[in-house]
Amino acid sequence: MTSNPRLVVISGSKKGLIFPLTTNETAIGRESGSAVALNHVSVSRRHCLIQREGNEFKILDVGSVNGTFVNGIPINEQMLSHGDQLRVGSLTLLFLTADTEDTTSGHLVLLNDTDLITQSSSKEIKPETLLKTRPEPTEFPQHERLARDLAVLLKIATRINRLRHTQDLVREILDSIFEVVPVDRGAILLTQDDKDLSPFYGKHRRDENKPVNVSRTVIQRVLREGLAILTNDIKTSDSLSTAASLVAAQISSLMCVPLIVFEKTLGVIYLDTSDPIARFDEDHLQLVVGIAGIAAVSLENARQMEWLERENSRLRSSLAIEHNMIGESQAIQDVYSFIQRVAPARSAVLICGESGTGKELAARAIHDNSPRASQPFVPINCAALTETLLESELFGHEKGAFTGAIGKKQGKLEVADGGTVFLDEIGEMTLPMQSRLLRFLQDHKIEHLGGTRSIDLDVRVLAATNRNLEEAIKNGSFRADLYHRLNVVKVTMPPLRERRDDIPLLASYFAAKYATECKRPVNGISPEARTLLQAYDWPGNVRELQNAIERAVVLGSADTIGVDDLPRRVMEAGDNAMTGVKYYDAIKDAKRQIIKNALELAKGNYTEAAKALGIHPNNLHRIVRTLDLKAAVKK
């Protein structure tokens, strides 16, 4: 692997552009002076920075309106890894630091700079032109050779369509060519990152350990001009008479054909022979061009499949590291650290915190990063079921155990055998149920409701509550011995008001999520709206923020979430926090008067009034409803 840090634009009008990261700090934004200049309305003038320290790269959002995302997660600051996907506004870029590894799987292929094309006898022709020409008869009658070549093409197509990996494909392609063309040496060379050429597989008919020499000049010309080249008379060439290696190899004929798919050149097939009797002719060239046309499609599909497999593996790894949770504040970093430490253990975990702080997300993260990750994760809400139903849900029941038990049923603990059960709202469990759960935690055995047989289970128990269990123990509503069994290790999820720095990241994530679900373009959140979101205390925590952003996306009409799209409680709390006085009423009165004046001048015509105000008519209707202006407008 060699270091070659760069950004590749993979979506939008600038798709395909490559920006090398050669300085210690690279600015990304809409400004023309930015090192990575992305002239798009969704990109802020100064959007983000990439900083380099040695071989490490870090991306920082610099207060952009629409946020900066890494692998779909909004960030303020994050270290980058090879293959990370960055979203800047609505544009997606790929961060790469390494060239593709040399995957030569056959014999050694050596590039040299000797020009093997002679002026005395050579043919240079576009592959598509060659396939349209009518071949002349040679040693075979015309119809016999044509039938043989078609049979060869069908055989190769059948073979390579069974293969899905590039390494297997290039070997099969070259081996098939050696069966039908009198070639001594051959190689397949493929481009990497659409520019660099890498020897991929070489074959020598008589000596498996001997390297295959290919002409760099020939190959570069084929790549550059898309030509299929055939040349003979190499021995008599004045320009090659002093090349000792070529004279020793006694090369008499050479062919080089491009691998082209969708007007994109993937690489070349290079062939030569030292047998003066078995010289290549135009029929050989036409056959190899046909093989290259079939092979190029299969190679492109194989490379795309391999890229998707690598990306899938990388994203799975990334998700496991991120725990599917969003935030960079110290409070949430402490939670990540806790999850990393406790996940490998078998101990019970008690997750405390206010409603809406993400207790179930933390439980899932513990399970997903544990040795039990491939086994079931079974959540159950203890507050949502009556005592009898909860007992049946947890422990299962036998047929006839109670009225309505028409058959045998496995309990959630049994379903989770080998994995994890998550008991949400454990503080709402009744005392008799607490007693039965305590017995299971002691011996890891259960009996079905109405049953007599004990069932051994291997289940890790994670529990969550928004109640103060110490107080519940004092007032007798929770068992102290069960609390100590569950409270082997404990974590308290921080409320959103204690991690305000994470609010813009969470808001950006939810805005992008619901914009996709609602199929409505939302480019981001205005700076004023972000300020109000951070000023509000969010008693409902992340769940309340999520609902507020969903409402803003559903009801809003502009492409950016603004102050007017937020719930009134958020705006009022923000006004109080920023000024110390409640001036929201004054602003609201001013808005009322402006809207009334516009509608009066337009004689009640909403479309005309909206045009005069410079807003969308749907937005005007919403403002009228929000400000309770319907009655005033009718008057």
Side-chain angles (χ1 to χ4, degrees):
M1 304 282 283
T2 57
S3 179
N4 180 20
R6 61 206 182 278
L7 291 177
V8 182
V9 183
I10 60 175
S11 75
S13 60
K14 294 184 177 292
K15 182 177 179 180
L17 283 182
I18 299 175
F19 297 95
L21 304 175
T22 56
T23 60
N24 290 334
E25 185 169 278
T26 303
I28 302 174
R30 203 170 66 246
E31 287 182 342
S32 59
S34 299
V36 180
L38 303 174
N39 187 17
H40 192 276
V41 66
S42 65
V43 179
S44 299
R45 293 177 63 82
R46 294 187 74 254
H47 202 105
C48 56
L49 294 172
I50 292 182
Q51 295 180 344
R52 177 176 185 172
E53 295 180 5
N55 291 325
E56 294 187 340
F57 291 82
K58 178 170 61 177
I59 187 167
L60 302 91
D61 186 88
V62 289
S64 65
V65 172
N66 300 329
T68 301
F69 292 69
V70 176
N71 300 323
I73 304 297
I75 59 93
N76 281 331
E77 178 179 322
Q78 182 168 311
M79 301 303 295
L80 293 175
S81 300
H82 175 71
D84 280 342
Q85 283 196 15
L86 316 181
R87 181 147 61 81
V88 179
S90 60
L91 304 181
T92 304
L93 301 90
L94 192 63
F95 173 74
L96 301 172
T97 59
D99 291 328
T100 306
E101 286 187 64
D102 182 3
T103 52
T104 303
S105 55
H107 306 301
L108 183 62
V109 179
L110 301 178
L111 287 166
N112 65 62
D113 296 317
T114 308
D115 190 351
L116 297 183
I117 302 176
T118 71
Q119 300 300 321
S120 57
S121 177
S122 67
K123 180 174 286 290
E124 303 169 10
I125 191 167
K126 290 284 187 180
E128 60 269 23
T129 304
L130 181 64
L131 289 173
K132 293 177 183 176
T133 60
R134 186 179 183 84
E136 296 296 327
T138 55
E139 69 271 19
F140 287 96
Q142 176 64 27
H143 65 281
E144 290 184 17
R145 184 158 186 175
L146 181 60
R148 185 204 67 173
D149 289 352
L150 289 174
V152 168
L153 290 173
L154 179 60
K155 180 180 178 182
I156 291 175
T158 303
R159 282 182 182 177
I160 65 177
N161 283 337
R162 297 185 186 139
L163 304 173
R164 57 179 295 178
H165 292 293
T166 308
Q167 182 176 336
D168 297 330
L169 272 171
V170 293
R171 187 185 297 273
E172 182 63 45
I173 293 164
L174 207 54
D175 289 349
S176 299
I177 291 174
F178 268 61
E179 291 177 11
V180 295
V181 178
V183 56
D184 289 332
R185 291 160 296 273
I188 292 179
L189 300 93
L190 301 177
T191 58
Q192 307 292 351
D193 299 327
D194 297 329
K195 54 179 183 178
D196 300 325
L197 190 68
S198 174
F200 207 93
Y201 179 70
K203 181 173 182 178
H204 201 292
R205 187 185 291 275
R206 297 183 181 85
D207 189 346
E208 293 184 356
N209 298 318
K210 197 171 183 179
V212 177
N213 282 280
V214 299
S215 168
R216 188 188 301 272
T217 306
V218 172
I219 289 170
Q220 288 179 343
R221 186 166 184 186
V222 171
L223 287 173
R224 184 175 61 253
E225 302 179 19
L227 297 171
I229 291 177
L230 165 66
T231 182
N232 297 298
D233 299 338
I234 291 175
K235 289 185 188 178
T236 62
S237 170
D238 293 337
S239 63
L240 300 179
S241 59
T242 58
S245 61
L246 296 176
V247 172
Q250 297 182 333
I251 296 173
S252 59
S253 295
L254 177 149
M255 275 193 294
C256 191
V257 174
L259 293 159
I260 300 175
V261 61
F262 303 127
E263 300 182 356
K264 172 185 174 183
T265 304
L266 304 179
V268 300
I269 299 176
Y270 179 96
L271 308 167
D272 68 39
T273 181
S274 302
D275 188 347
I277 298 175
R279 288 156 58 99
F280 300 148
D281 58 28
E282 190 169 325
D283 289 323
H284 290 132
L285 184 62
Q286 189 167 23
L287 176 59
V288 175
V289 166
I291 294 172
I294 296 171
V297 176
S298 296
L299 283 169
E300 176 69 359
N301 290 339
R303 295 173 82 178
Q304 288 292 330
M305 181 64 70
E306 289 168 353
W307 183 86
L308 288 172
E309 288 174 351
R310 290 193 302 270
E311 183 68 4
N312 183 50
S313 176
R314 187 188 64 77
L315 288 175
R316 284 180 180 275
S317 175
S318 174
L319 286 174
I321 294 170
E322 294 294 335
H323 312 297
N324 292 326
M325 301 168 72
I326 296 170
E328 298 177 359
S329 64
Q330 187 57 52
I332 202 69
Q333 292 289 344
D334 291 342
V335 174
Y336 295 157
S337 178
F338 173 86
I339 291 171
Q340 186 177 15
R341 292 196 307 272
V342 304
R346 301 181 59 183
S347 307
V349 181
L350 182 61
I351 307 171
C352 300
E354 298 175 8
S355 178
T357 51
K359 295 187 290 294
E360 183 170 347
L361 278 179
R364 286 185 180 276
I366 292 171
H367 171 76
D368 290 342
N369 289 277
S370 74
R372 301 170 180 264
S374 60
Q375 300 301 316
F377 174 84
V378 182
I380 183 167
N381 190 327
C382 302
L385 302 171
T386 63
E387 180 179 332
T388 302
L389 285 176
L390 179 59
E391 186 175 17
S392 172
E393 282 293 303
L394 272 179
F395 301 102
H397 63 253
E398 298 290 331
K399 182 179 179 180
F402 53 86
T403 304
I406 58 175
K408 182 178 178 180
K409 177 186 175 182
Q410 279 190 326
K412 297 288 189 182
L413 289 171
E414 202 170 349
V415 171
D417 190 24
T420 306
V421 68
F422 172 58
L423 303 176
D424 197 11
E425 304 298 346
I426 189 73
E428 307 302 320
M429 186 178 283
T430 62
L431 287 171
M433 278 299 301
Q434 291 177 34
S435 177
R436 190 157 185 196
L437 177 62
L438 176 62
R439 182 177 176 184
F440 166 73
L441 290 173
Q442 289 171 336
D443 58 20
H444 291 278
K445 295 181 180 180
I446 65 165
E447 290 181 5
H448 286 169
L449 194 61
T452 56
R453 183 174 65 90
S454 293
I455 303 171
D456 290 318
L457 297 177
D458 173 23
V459 177
R460 185 180 190 180
V461 176
L462 309 178
T465 182
N466 59 8
R467 292 183 58 188
N468 185 328
L469 294 186
E470 287 87 349
E471 289 295 326
I473 292 171
K474 290 178 182 177
N475 62 37
S477 60
F478 201 84
R479 295 180 60 113
D481 44 5
L482 176 60
Y483 173 74
H484 295 305
R485 278 284 180 179
L486 294 172
N487 189 28
V488 177
V489 284
K490 174 181 174 181
V491 63
T492 299
M493 299 298 292
L496 198 52
R497 62 183 175 275
E498 293 180 7
R499 42 183 291 223
R500 294 185 189 272
D501 290 345
D502 292 335
I503 291 175
L505 300 180
L506 288 160
S508 294
Y509 173 78
F510 292 135
K513 174 185 175 182
Y514 290 115
T516 301
E517 289 184 5
C518 298
K519 297 180 180 179
R520 195 174 83 75
V522 177
N523 291 328
I525 303 170
S526 72
E528 295 81 9
R530 286 174 183 265
T531 301
L532 289 179
L533 290 173
Q534 283 188 284
Y536 183 57
D537 277 344
W538 300 105
N541 294 296
V542 177
R543 190 177 294 123
E544 184 184 5
L545 173 63
Q546 180 177 355
N547 293 341
I549 298 299
E550 182 179 8
R551 172 187 179 277
V553 172
V554 171
L555 297 180
S557 56
D559 59 1
T560 299
I561 295 175
V563 172
D564 289 337
D565 297 314
L566 302 178
R568 183 175 299 180
R569 64 185 182 279
V570 176
M571 290 190 286
E572 290 182 349
D575 290 337
N576 290 333
M578 288 185 293
T579 67
V581 295
K582 195 171 181 179
Y583 65 86
Y584 178 70
D585 290 337
I587 295 175
K588 191 160 57 174
D589 289 340
K591 285 183 180 179
R592 280 199 181 101
Q593 193 58 48
I594 291 170
I595 299 298
K596 283 175 64 178
N597 291 343
L599 285 169
E600 287 173 3
L601 289 172
K603 298 181 180 179
N605 187 314
Y606 275 73
T607 302
E608 292 299 321
K611 188 183 295 184
L613 291 167
I615 61 176
H616 193 278
N618 291 345
N619 201 14
L620 178 58
H621 280 283
R622 183 171 58 82
I623 293 172
V624 168
R625 289 195 304 271
T626 302
L627 298 177
D628 297 326
L629 276 174
K630 283 189 176 181
V633 169
K634 288 179 181 178
K635 292 178 182 179

